[in-house]
Amino acid sequence: MQSGRNPIHVNTVNGAPDLRNSAQNDTGWAGIPRSMTGIAEHMLRAGYRTHMYGKWDAGMGTPRHTPRGRGYQRSLVYYHHVNDAWSFVAWSEKSCLGREIIDLWEDSAPAYGLNNSRNCSQANQSGCVYEDQLFADRVMAAIQPDPKPFFVFWAPRVVHSPLEVPQKQLDHFGFIDDGARRVYHAMVRRLLCSIARSHLARVTR
């Protein structure tokens, strides 16, 4: 979607963020090569306001690989493959110099002030915000009366692993015995509820 190309023509290796071809300084990083334009770059040139919310996973080797470098004026994203829906810790990169990596970024900097308490988890959701709710809230905030057209790319984290969802959604499927299947159902319901709310926001503004 970002490049408008068949994935096999973009990058056949969806690898670690530090994986690169040293013979290609700009295009040799994981993600979409910088030699390819993205949809937001075209929309921005056409006069649109451009927004990206959710899972990026299309490159972060240089600033030009990030949503801002790809033409998105506003963004709230996590960069890598997998992160925790409650703590926002990157699962694939659990430690860096002895510290966990919080993978949540706003525009071109860490999303300070949006992260939950370090105690938040699937087992402890009290006072915590589900990560996909942050993205859905930004989508709805972007939908506003404005003579300038807007383009929003929304990439929800569900139904990707890890299998985590607000307990309120999980309770709807208590009749399903298989734990993973129950969570998948709850995650899909959570996504559909977010889509319904964003549609309602669009038609009522």
Side-chain angles (χ1 to χ4, degrees):
M1 283 295 297
Q2 294 293 342
S3 69
R5 295 169 172 83
N6 189 314
I8 196 72
H9 297 143
V10 179
N11 192 331
T12 58
V13 180
N14 193 23
D18 58 348
L19 181 67
R20 69 182 289 258
N21 179 353
S22 59
Q24 298 175 300
N25 287 333
D26 192 41
T27 62
W29 295 90
I32 301 171
R34 276 303 312 163
S35 57
M36 297 181 180
T37 56
I39 187 171
E41 295 170 80
H42 293 286
M43 301 301 278
L44 188 61
R45 282 198 292 267
Y48 282 69
R49 293 183 288 115
T50 54
H51 303 256
M52 164 70 207
Y53 304 115
K55 179 177 179 176
W56 177 243
D57 207 6
M60 59 178 175
T62 74
R64 294 182 65 221
H65 287 83
T66 67
R68 177 62 64 89
R70 290 289 181 182
Y72 289 103
Q73 296 167 299
R74 300 304 311 271
S75 63
L76 181 67
V77 301
Y78 65 100
Y79 282 137
H80 205 23
H81 306 323
V82 182
N83 75 340
D84 190 278
W86 299 104
S87 69
F88 314 147
V89 171
W91 277 38
S92 50
E93 304 292 333
K94 280 277 190 174
S95 175
C96 178
L97 300 177
R99 298 184 179 184
E100 293 179 321
I101 299 172
I102 305 297
D103 191 7
L104 187 65
W105 305 81
E106 184 169 21
D107 300 332
S108 56
Y112 293 115
L114 293 180
N115 51 304
N116 286 323
S117 160
R118 302 305 285 264
N119 297 323
C120 291
S121 66
Q122 182 63 28
N124 179 27
Q125 301 178 13
S126 179
C128 308
V129 179
Y130 189 57
E131 185 177 48
D132 251 353
Q133 187 62 53
L134 293 174
F135 302 142
D137 288 346
R138 291 303 175 92
V139 170
M140 287 185 271
I143 302 171
Q144 56 184 298
D146 192 324
K148 191 173 185 179
F150 69 93
F151 171 70
V152 178
F153 194 100
W154 181 20
R157 69 180 308 283
V158 297
V159 293
H160 199 285
S161 61
L163 302 184
E164 298 173 326
V165 69
Q167 189 62 42
K168 180 180 177 181
Q169 302 296 331
L170 197 57
D171 290 344
H172 283 278
F173 299 97
F175 59 91
I176 298 177
D177 293 331
D178 183 278
R181 186 166 171 257
R182 183 166 60 250
V183 177
Y184 269 121
H185 275 69
M187 291 173 87
V188 171
R189 186 180 193 279
R190 174 67 183 70
L191 176 59
L192 294 176
C193 289
S194 293
I195 292 171
R197 280 194 296 272
S198 65
H199 177 69
L200 182 62
R202 181 176 64 84
V203 299
T204 57
R205 288 186 178 181

